[in-house]
């Protein structure tokens, strides 16, 4: 997020796109509800009539996978109505002229054709955002889990850059990170293209620095992503070590993924439970859970916070860092002598620019959001206040692109996937917490009541849903939260492995899977 | 005079007198807020600093020079030159009578502290004012919903004192408007939209109402289920393990068991708010399915319990075999987006310092 969570009740116009925030980031959503109570306007764009849509002043029910078209239509209106912040564009951006010319082609009427959203509503949303004193954008995986995820984000950035809605309280472009520490994992360098602190591995200066630090010559090129690695299993990739991820259930194309892991010579998994993925392993390490370990985690506003142990681990389970370093030592690797999480974290701070100004003791109260470049620096709750990290903000001339697969006679229905309030991911944790079953005991497929009738189904009956890759059996739930022709479910329950169906394509740049769009057929059992 | 003096932006210092002492204040502050800052310990029941003041219980009354009746300090704004008395025989008697009145509506005065964050407030005040008499025994407000089968929230309205903190927290903090107030006086009743069970209302089971209830009328059923676990309740500050918001919580433990979660009112990302996962989905860590020993696949193709020594040997051997036979680019590692940052750092060091590759990713792409 460019802006802190504490800002969320401060905008006068809020634009939520591809975020089911009341269910996925409930406490963040309370900020938005407070802003609304103070009179802020809410624009919600989502294929499904989610709870946020109930609260919206204008709701844009776009067809799945048409975000870019919607954003281009909005940019067109903002440009046409003269709502561009020219001073901001002159001072802080480049390619602005080209972009303003580019968007002339994309009228709201054009966008309506593609998105299905009435042009008048696109106009209204654009006017509000364009006129906002403090306009803030919030998004999550509804924007990124597409083959055009990068373009979608660039489309949002374009809106921000043309209106100057950044660098001030209550504004910004704010992706909400899904998992508790997905931010921290990236910060720490668990990426094929970055050393810790997002230092590119292809930069000779960084190479030299880490070669000296780690005493090892490191590849000069980027590594490969997990998606690519899974494709190469059994071929170039012969062994894997997976920490705390139920890859088989959470990743797209389950059959492919399972086959990939089975084709390895050797698989090591560290986890809390014997997950579907751990069951395939040759060696399984038991790790300590939340509540049993000391450590740090970094939230969606880049705030570094301390985790503390309250109870002992079961049996001989050990913290992840201990397991990894023990294995490294056993393999003869150098530099893995640590006494505790504190030492590990302090080393990360030493080698990482953005964490350089803190250490284990300084993050005790969670007072710092990175970057904290030096000791005494107050941290950076708000990014891009005066300058952009990488110089000037660049407009991108994005275009609308179809999803990897589109509906046809055989697969005439759009499936989109997501999460629900009372469960988390593959339910390895929420599914094992008492009482959660009362709120959510089984998976269901949300279908518009008229489609339920037309497709010969009934509320509560069983349906078979198939894509080009597989089929699942799932219970039907009639609800107007789904629009006609689009159905919704989650990948939370093992008995409805919906990721057996997904996986039609990946964003070519980030290799994020297109989990939000998958053509399917839905028929009575 | 002491800290926090502000001239209100117009050059004139804002000052008032508190029990004879001159004090400064920021225009807009209530008399209660000023008194708190000067440690006056005015009793309150319907007050929650996160919520709009409500002025319902009148326990926080103070005397203001020039006005005949005492006023509620939580709803009265401080004013230049105001002379306030926070403690006097008359005020204390008033407060005691008020407390006795509330107590008379109330069945259970000894509330288990596991009930919720603020659940002891009422009982503490009764003791402070020695107000546990049966002077006004009689009518009680509210009826319970023991029939609400939800596993999280006890709804025992016989203990309700109509402070409406639950209704207000649900509306103002949570924005859910799941519960509301029906009737007035002794007939007062907190209820959901259709007087039904919470699951059929807009309730998201965030638990906020439990944590602000000062009497335990609304209480944390999951924590109360452990009230007989021996030992003192210990609190440990940590962060919720679910989403990227990163809400601060205090884990309640007894012995080696986690028995509940309290929201951290000073949590920088949540200021006391939580959702159903952070509030109630904590007990997976003690689940019987937890792995408690390493497992190694045997010649029979099955996974068998093993010692760390054996498991580490086996794992090192297996991974090194791949590297030796197919090169260092045959080994790939995946870090967790759920584990602490130290795990991710260690994982990337594993491939970079150990193998000299960048063959690592985390689970953010799916
Ligand atoms: S649990 Fe939360 S949503 Fe439900 S009634 Fe209480 S405050 Fe409202
Ligand atoms: S309590 Fe809910 S909103 Fe807060 S971090 Fe946990 S899952 Fe996210
Ligand atoms: S605390 Fe002021 S009236 Fe209740």
């Amino acid at each position: 997020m460019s802006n802190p969570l504490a800002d969320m009740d401060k905008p006068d116009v809020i634009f939520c796109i591809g975020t089911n925030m009341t269910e996925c980031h409930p406490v963040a959503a309370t900020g938005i509800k407070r802003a609304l109570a103070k009179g802020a306007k809410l624009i919600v764009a989502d294929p499904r009539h989610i709870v946020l849509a109930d609260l919206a002043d204008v709701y844009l029910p776009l067809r799945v996978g048409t975000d870019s078209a919607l954003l281009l239509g909005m940019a067109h209106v903002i440009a046409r109505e003269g709502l561009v912040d020219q001073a901001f564009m002159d001072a802080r951006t480049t390619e602005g002229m080209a972009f303003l010319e580019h968007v002339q082609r994309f009228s709201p009427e054009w966008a309506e054709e593609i998105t299905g959203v009435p042009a008048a509503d696109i106009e209204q949303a654009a006017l509000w955002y364009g006129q906002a004193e403090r306009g803030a954008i919030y998004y999550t995986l509804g924007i990124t889990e597409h083959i055009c995820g990068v373009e979608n984000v660039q489309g949002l950035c374009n809106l921000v850059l043309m209106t100057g809605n950044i660098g001030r309280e209550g504004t910004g472009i704010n992706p909400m990170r899904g998992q508790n520490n997905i931010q921290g994992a990236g910060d720490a360098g668990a990426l094929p293209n970055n050393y810790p602190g997002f230092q590119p591995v292809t930069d000779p200066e960084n190479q030299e620095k880490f070669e000296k630090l780690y005493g090892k010559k490191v590849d000069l090129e980027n590594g490969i992503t997990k998606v690519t690695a899974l494709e190469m299993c059994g071929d170039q990739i012969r062994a894997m070590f997976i920490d705390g991820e139920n890859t088989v259930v959470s990743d797209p194309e389950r059959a492919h993924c399972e086959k990939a892991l089975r084709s390895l010579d050797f698989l090591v998994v560290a986890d809390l439970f014997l997950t579907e993925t751990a069951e395939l392993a040759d060696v399984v390490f038991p790790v300590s859970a939340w509540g049993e370990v000391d450590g740090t985690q970094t939230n969606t506003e880049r705030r570094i916070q301390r985790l503390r142990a309250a109870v002992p681990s079961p049996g001989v389970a050990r913290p992840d860092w201990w397991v990894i370093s023990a294995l490294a030592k056993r393999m003869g690797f150098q530099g893995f002598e640590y006494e505790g999480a504190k030492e590990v974290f302090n080393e990360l701070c030493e080698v990482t620019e953005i964490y350089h100004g803190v250490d284990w003791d300084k993050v005790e109260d969670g007072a710092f959001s990175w970057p904290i470049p030096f000791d005494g620096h107050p941290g950076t709750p708000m990014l891009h206040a005066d300058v952009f990290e990488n110089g000037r903000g660049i407009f991108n001339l994005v275009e609308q692109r179809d999803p990897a697969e589109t509906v046809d006679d055989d697969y005439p229905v759009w499936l989109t996937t997501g999460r629900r309030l009372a469960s988390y991911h593959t339910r390895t944790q929420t599914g094992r917490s008492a009482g959660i079953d009362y709120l959510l005991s089984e998976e269901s497929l949300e279908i518009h009541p008229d489609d339920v009738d037309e497709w010969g189904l009934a509320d509560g009956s069983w349906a078979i849903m198939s894509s080009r890759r597989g089929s699942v059996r799932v219970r039907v739930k009639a609800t107007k939260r789904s629009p006609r022709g689009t159905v919704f479910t989650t990948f939370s329950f093992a008995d409805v492995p919906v990721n057996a169906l997904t996986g039609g394509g990946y964003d070519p740049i980030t290799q994020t899977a297109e989990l939000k769009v998958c053509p399917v057929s839905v028929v009575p059992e | 005079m002491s800290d926090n003096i502000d001239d209100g932006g117009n050059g004139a210092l804002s000052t008032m007198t508190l029990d004879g002492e001159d004090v400064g204040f920021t225009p807009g502050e209530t008399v209660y807020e000023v008194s708190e800052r000067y440690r006056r310990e005015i009793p309150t029941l319907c007050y929650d600093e996160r919520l709009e003041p409500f002025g319902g219980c009148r326990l926080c009354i103070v005397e203001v020079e020039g006005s005949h009746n005492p006023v509620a300090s939580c709803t009265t704004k401080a004013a230049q030159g105001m002379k306030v008395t926070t403690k006097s025989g008359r005020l204390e008697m008033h407060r005691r009578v008020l407390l006795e009145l509330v107590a008379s509506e109330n069945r259970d005065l000894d509330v288990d502290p596991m009930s919720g964050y603020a659940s002891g407030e009422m009982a503490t005040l009764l003791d402070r004012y020695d107000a546990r008499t049966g002077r006004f025994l009689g009518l009680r407000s509210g009826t319970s919903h023991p029939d609400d089968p939800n596993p999280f929230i006890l709804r025992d309205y016989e203990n309700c004192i109509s402070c409406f903190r639950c209704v207000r927290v649900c509306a103002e903090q949570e924005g859910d408007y799941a519960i509301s107030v029906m009737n007035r006086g002794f007939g007062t009743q907190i209820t959901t939209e259709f007087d039904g069970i919470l699951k059929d209302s807009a309730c998201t089971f965030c638990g906020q109402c439990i944590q602000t209830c000062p009497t335990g009328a609304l209480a944390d059923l999951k924590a109360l289920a452990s009230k007989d676990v021996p030992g003192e309740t210990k609190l440990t500050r940590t962060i919720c393990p679910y989403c990227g918001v990163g809400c601060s919580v205090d884990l309640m433990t007894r012995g080696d068991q986690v028995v509940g979660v309290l929201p951290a009112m000073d949590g920088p990302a949540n200021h006391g708010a939580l959702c159903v996962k952070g509030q109630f989905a904590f007990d997976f860590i003690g689940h019987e399915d937890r792995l408690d020993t390493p497992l190694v696949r045997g010649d029979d193709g099955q996974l068998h319990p093993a010692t760390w020594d054996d498991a580490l040997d086996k794992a090192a051997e297996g991974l090194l075999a791949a590297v030796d036979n197919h090169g260092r680019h045959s080994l790939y590692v995946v870090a967790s987006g759920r584990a602490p940052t130290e795990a991710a750092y260690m994982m990337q060091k594993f491939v970079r310092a150990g193998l000299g590759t960048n063959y690592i990713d985390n689970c953010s792409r799916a």
Side-chain angles (χ1 to χ4, degrees), chain A residues 189 191-195 198-202 222-223, chain B residues 352 358 360 365:
Chain A
L191 292 167
N193 56 339
N194 288 329
Y195 293 119
F198 304 100
Q199 306 176 71
V201 299
T202 46
N222 288 336
Chain B
R352 297 200 165 108
N358 294 310
I360 179 169
R365 283 168 235 271

Side-chain angles (χ1 to χ4, degrees), chain A residues 96-105:
Chain A
M97 286 315 291
F99 178 72
L100 294 183
E101 216 179 285
H102 175 69
V103 299
Q104 282 177 14
R105 283 164 46 209

Side-chain angles (χ1 to χ4, degrees), chain A residues 180 191 219 224 226 236 238 245 279 282 290 296 299-300 305 316 338 347 421 429 434 438 510, chain B residues 199 222 239 242 244-246 277 291-292 295 297 308 329-330 332 338 342 345 349 352 361 363 365:
Chain A
N180 57 325
L191 292 167
D219 285 348
I224 55 177
K226 185 180 77 181
Q236 182 195 315
R238 296 304 184 113
E245 186 194 58
E279 271 170 19
D282 297 286
W290 167 81
T296 65
N299 79 353
T300 187
Q305 307 197 91
V316 295
Y338 295 94
E347 180 175 314
L421 172 64
Q429 298 182 2
Y438 171 77
T510 62
Chain B
K199 192 183 180 183
K222 277 189 84 162
I239 311 296
Y242 290 104
V245 173
K277 292 184 283 279
L291 290 169
D292 56 4
L295 303 171
R297 198 167 294 281
W308 272 107
H329 294 110
S330 66
Y332 198 82
R338 310 273 288 129
E342 293 70 31
Y345 179 76
K349 190 168 179 183
R352 297 200 165 108
D361 208 345
C363 33
R365 283 168 235 271

Side-chain angles (χ1 to χ4, degrees), chain A residues 33, chain B residues 152-153 155 157 165-171 173-180 190-192 198 201-212 218 274-276 279-280:
Chain A
K33 293 177 190 166
Chain B
F152 304 122
I153 300 176
R155 303 170 73 196
Y157 292 122
R165 278 163 67 165
C166 57
V167 176
R168 288 150 60 215
V169 87
C170 187
Q173 280 294 113
E174 188 59 18
D176 278 339
Y177 303 93
I179 43 179
S180 56
I190 310 284
T191 178
T192 66
L198 284 172
S201 75
C203 175
T204 59
F205 293 92
C206 70
Q208 287 288 288
C209 51
I210 295 173
Q211 305 298 358
T212 194
L218 298 174
L274 289 179
C275 77
V276 60
Q279 177 66 69
F280 294 117

Side-chain angles (χ1 to χ4, degrees), chain B residues 32 43-47 53-61 72-75:
Chain B
Y32 179 77
T44 62
L45 268 180
C46 68
Y47 184 77
F54 172 65
C57 74
R58 299 198 49 85
L59 241 99
C60 66
I61 46 170
S73 61
C74 70
T75 51

